[in-house]
Amino acid sequence: MSKVKVLLLLCMLLVSSNMLITAPLVRASEGYAKVYILSLTEVPCWNFGDQESHESKIQVKNGAIKALEFREDISLPRVHPKFGKTLPYYGISYYVVTEWSTYKGIIESQSNIIVINTHGEILPIPTGYTANGWVNKIAEAMLKRRVTWVHTGGYPFFRVWYQGATQSQEWPSGGTNGFKNFTAHINLNNVTCFPEESETLKVQMHEAAHYTLIHGWYNITMAGKVELGRPLKASDFKNYTILPIWGSEDTYMTGALIAFVKPSERNLPSERIGFGAYVHIGTRKTFTYDLGETDGDYYRGYVGAAAAIWTETLVFKSFTASRSYSDAWGESHWGLTATPVITWYSYVTQTNRYKISIVFGVYGCLKTSGSKFIGDVMFYLGYLPDGCVVMARSDLSKNGYKYGKPNIYVDSWQHVRLIIKPLLFFVGLGATGTLSAIVSGIGGVLLFSDYALLVASITDPVNGVDEIQPPNNYIDFTYIPKSFYEQPGDGFTYQEFQSLIYVELEVDMTNRECWSIIPMQWRITLRDNAHYAMLDLNGDCSIAIFKSFTKTGYKATVFFEDFSGEMSDWSIGDANSLAGLDYWGVVKTIPPGCVAWCAAVGKNSIYSEKPNIEKKLYDKQMNTYMERPVDLRPYRTPVTLRYHLFYRICAGDYLAVEYYNAGSWVLADIITGNEEVDLWRQAQIPTTAEKIRFRFYSNGDDNVDWGVYINHIEIIAEMPNDAYTNADAGDDFDSATYVTHPNSYGAYLNNEEDWYKFDIIQQDIANGKIVYISLQKPEYAIFQMELYDRNNQFKGSGVNTITYHLKTSDTAGQWRLKIRPIMGFGPYSFRIELLTSYGGGCPILLVWNGSKYVDYGIINIHNAEGYDVVKEIFISTADINTEGQVAQLRLKEGWEGLEYSHSLVDQVKLYAVDNFGIRYQCPLIKAVHNEQGNIMLKLLFSDNVRAEIYLMQTIDLQFIVPYPKEIIKSFVFTIEGHNQEKIDY
């Protein structure tokens, strides 16, 4: 049986000879955020007056981190684009920058990032720059590389701290000039932050900010009111304000989100990635809405980070297509780009439904020397799951302008949610050099900026839809865009338009508790005046929705596959090679999206060995499958396997949906016949299933057709089933769930602690047994285990294992295990064992933290047959000292009380892991056995040349860590070897 893992990214499009359609381009924002929290070691935070404080800096940092946490109950908006394949489906990483070199490199070279300055009024200036030179560099990064800067308190850029200095000083030419130099880069030349009113005047959070941020960050109410402090004058920034945070857009804004872009340079030259934003937090003190004072440092960091992250987490990928040709009517260049954005959502308790507003920012342009012109635009959105309806709000959709070119000004905050995202992301962060060349820079690209000036021509009977479309499971309409023309005298006519297509999605949340995924597919077609399709944009987007759940009996999407990336988690093969090998693979289709096709790879034996992809037909004599492992033990009842697909299958052929259980494959569903429109099907899978498989079979005749295309696969499970009790584990010492040992258990961790209790008898203590607890968890999560005795006395902790040697002073009874989330959540399993002090052992991993070794417990490499096994141990950055770019670890064989222990170690490795899960190997530079001396060559390679280690012997290891601390999220230690000594219980 042959297996192969395939990534095939093909575009199944018929393209005419004079037409060029580019593949969809991923834009600057993809629903994830990369954040740098600037907190240099020697630089304090400067608040108002003469107040330097390292404590304030730390609290600002802590508040920012709280807003960035991977936690169900706070974290990011509960409705957001799904990116990635692990809960909660967004990618957000943050690094605390403590070193000058890292800070300098970020500003000089990084793109698409957020920088949060915890130093308040102080701007750190690295070596090689003047104050003005460094501000220019920051502004350049914001204008051209889409860097967002978050100012967290007081007057921005009022003071400087030069690298190597021992104290801060006022801006060299006067404190107010730093911010003036900064804003001059966006044509604001004389702005100040001194209000006419008292700086201690209490101002309230703006309604738009409250209702925009509250869904993802409910702790913003702890800063519902603030002191006026050092605000922005609203009239200075009226053409730039995206979202006021505190204050009024008519007078002063103590906090605001500002578009950092020059109005005269919106055409975006090709070397630019897109503009960023400036988040202004000008206050010192924060209060609740009823004026109870809160921790101002903490909540300035919290709100500043939330506002910045909000700009990153509601926009989907942008898509672009272009076409150039010459014909009898002249030379023509067409461009089309679109970006869908979640602009608003609310949960209606009475109906148990989410209402979600999505705006599609659409921009089209034509440069022509002939008689062609833009005709109309066709819009389609559909392929929704059951229980979802969508409605085109043609009364709210906008198209074109009444009065020439718009400016950036927004004068109606009731509509702010419609324009914030398109303004910040659509053109500013999305347009490409190709489109800029088409537009040519004459006057620049129009922005989605002033909602009030946009004409609702989509509601005009002459120009499009004349009424609101009723809710349905799809949208399909055509409208005539209102275009803007220019003829600059170069022989070409430039025509461009922009539209906001407003869509309301309603999702029935019945049986959709916790995380649910709503996939959608959309298509936008631009046609010319003769109604010929010039360009097609096809996109798919999935929305991740979180709903609060009850303690027991709730359902959640625990696995989702949309084939948007490599099929690295799937094993692919063809069990019938009589007509050649044909495999599943990823293709792109119209209707849009990445899908798995049963015959993506292989040659068609019926059609002269031409590729299946060319004929768009499957082959005869296929038995091709794609399968992947699953762990369903943490769930209460049989899970629901759902799959979204379309197909045309000839007689005698079929798709089998199967699961692997108790050593054999079991049929869950069989699909035959034709279904050319996507539909959802489902099958029940027992929690004992170990794998799922989609297997396409074709017989030996020559009747073939499309085969099967699978868009999405998901598993919905009922939870919790902690320790197989059909209930949630206890949340405290007294309510702990009883478990036995030796035994393994599955569970699911939310934002609360899970407590378990187990028996320790007097004989265990008398025999000096070892309490050994191991934990398996999602790779993206960090869970902490803690061990307590019957009297609630702490005994030990660990993130991977706990090893505790019972002492005669310990008391028998029901001991406790607490498992709590540090980062993330999801399914986990744990095992409790009591090891005897007699018999064989295994190596124990010890990690040097700078002052002592941290015990990471036993590495169980026991194998009675003498074969090497490989084990991975995740190490927290808090437990490993990397000063001097060296990490030090120790392997110790067995423990006191053992009579004998002997392990053979073939290879050891250490990896640094960044926030995106990418591993970077740290080279081994030293391995010293306490009796044998240097044994490094024995541990460098997987070559069966092993190092031997006997009871209580040690091997000291050193690894080079040549990576900045700020990018390292955790470490992984791997060991290959074995111990043949049996461990008795």
Side-chain angles (χ1 to χ4, degrees), residues 336-350:
L336 181 65
T337 185
T339 303
V341 176
I342 298 172
T343 58
W344 187 247
Y345 64 92
S346 62
Y347 176 67
V348 182
T349 306
Q350 294 85 348

Side-chain angles (χ1 to χ4, degrees), residues 342-590:
I342 298 172
T343 58
W344 187 247
Y345 64 92
S346 62
Y347 176 67
V348 182
T349 306
Q350 294 85 348
T351 60
N352 198 27
R353 298 177 74 84
Y354 258 110
K355 296 188 72 172
I356 304 166
S357 298
I358 304 172
V359 169
F360 285 78
V362 183
Y363 172 79
C365 55
L366 168 64
K367 172 185 174 182
T368 182
S369 62
S371 58
K372 288 283 186 180
F373 58 87
I374 292 172
D376 56 26
V377 176
M378 303 171 67
F379 179 82
Y380 174 86
L381 184 146
Y383 301 96
L384 299 173
D386 296 338
C388 300
V389 294
V390 66
M391 178 172 63
R393 291 296 304 271
S394 49
D395 58 328
L396 295 176
S397 298
K398 298 294 180 176
N399 175 29
Y401 286 89
K402 293 179 181 177
Y403 314 111
K405 294 183 181 179
N407 58 25
I408 239 175
Y409 179 46
V410 178
D411 63 356
S412 176
W413 279 110
Q414 74 181 81
H415 298 304
V416 70
R417 294 185 300 275
L418 299 181
I419 62 89
I420 286 173
K421 289 305 175 178
L423 165 66
L424 191 58
F425 293 108
F426 174 55
V427 174
L429 309 186
T432 65
T434 302
L435 292 179
S436 300
I438 293 172
V439 179
S440 83
I442 302 297
V445 173
L446 300 177
L447 281 177
F448 295 103
S449 51
D450 192 334
Y451 186 89
L453 292 181
L454 281 167
V455 179
S457 62
I458 292 179
T459 64
D460 185 338
V462 177
N463 289 334
V465 182
D466 59 358
E467 62 182 14
I468 300 174
Q469 292 194 339
N472 206 328
N473 61 354
Y474 71 95
I475 296 171
D476 190 359
F477 67 87
T478 300
Y479 71 96
I480 300 173
K482 183 176 176 63
S483 301
F484 181 82
Y485 290 87
E486 281 188 329
Q487 290 181 318
D490 60 356
F492 287 91
T493 297
Y494 295 84
Q495 184 183 5
E496 56 188 352
F497 72 90
Q498 56 184 0
S499 305
L500 296 179
I501 300 175
Y502 190 102
V503 170
E504 283 185 351
L505 172 68
E506 286 197 20
V507 180
D508 184 359
M509 295 305 292
T510 304
N511 295 323
R512 286 182 179 273
E513 298 177 77
C514 199
W515 286 101
S516 292
I517 309 303
I518 308 300
M520 298 182 299
Q521 296 182 347
W522 55 270
R523 178 173 64 249
I524 298 174
T525 302
L526 177 61
R527 301 196 299 183
D528 67 6
N529 50 305
H531 289 180
Y532 287 110
M534 293 292 101
L535 294 171
D536 265 321
L537 284 182
N538 297 276
D540 57 351
C541 51
S542 296
I543 299 177
I545 302 177
F546 175 76
K547 177 189 171 187
S548 298
F549 50 86
T550 55
K551 291 286 291 181
T552 60
Y554 61 91
K555 292 183 178 180
T557 300
V558 296
F559 169 78
F560 190 88
E561 172 67 80
D562 57 7
F563 301 105
S564 58
E566 296 184 7
M567 296 179 66
S568 56
D569 295 329
W570 295 86
S571 295
I572 303 169
D574 187 354
N576 186 349
S577 61
L578 293 178
L581 296 175
D582 304 279
Y583 303 111
W584 289 84
V586 174
V587 299
K588 288 203 169 186
T589 64
I590 295 178

Side-chain angles (χ1 to χ4, degrees), residues 955-973:
I955 299 175
D956 285 334
L957 307 169
Q958 288 188 359
F959 299 87
I960 285 288
V961 185
Y963 314 109
K965 292 180 180 179
E966 290 78 13
I967 75 164
I968 301 175
K969 167 187 171 183
S970 62
F971 290 87
V972 176
F973 176 75

Side-chain angles (χ1 to χ4, degrees), residues 263-283:
S264 61
E265 294 187 3
R266 297 173 195 159
N267 57 309
L268 299 175
S270 58
E271 71 271 12
R272 294 176 59 170
I273 293 173
F275 63 82
Y278 167 68
V279 179
H280 181 84
I281 306 290
T283 190

Side-chain angles (χ1 to χ4, degrees), residues 98-111:
T98 60
E99 298 179 359
W100 284 92
S101 58
T102 305
Y103 166 48
K104 184 179 181 182
I106 288 168
I107 299 300
E108 288 180 336
S109 61
Q110 291 274 359
S111 304

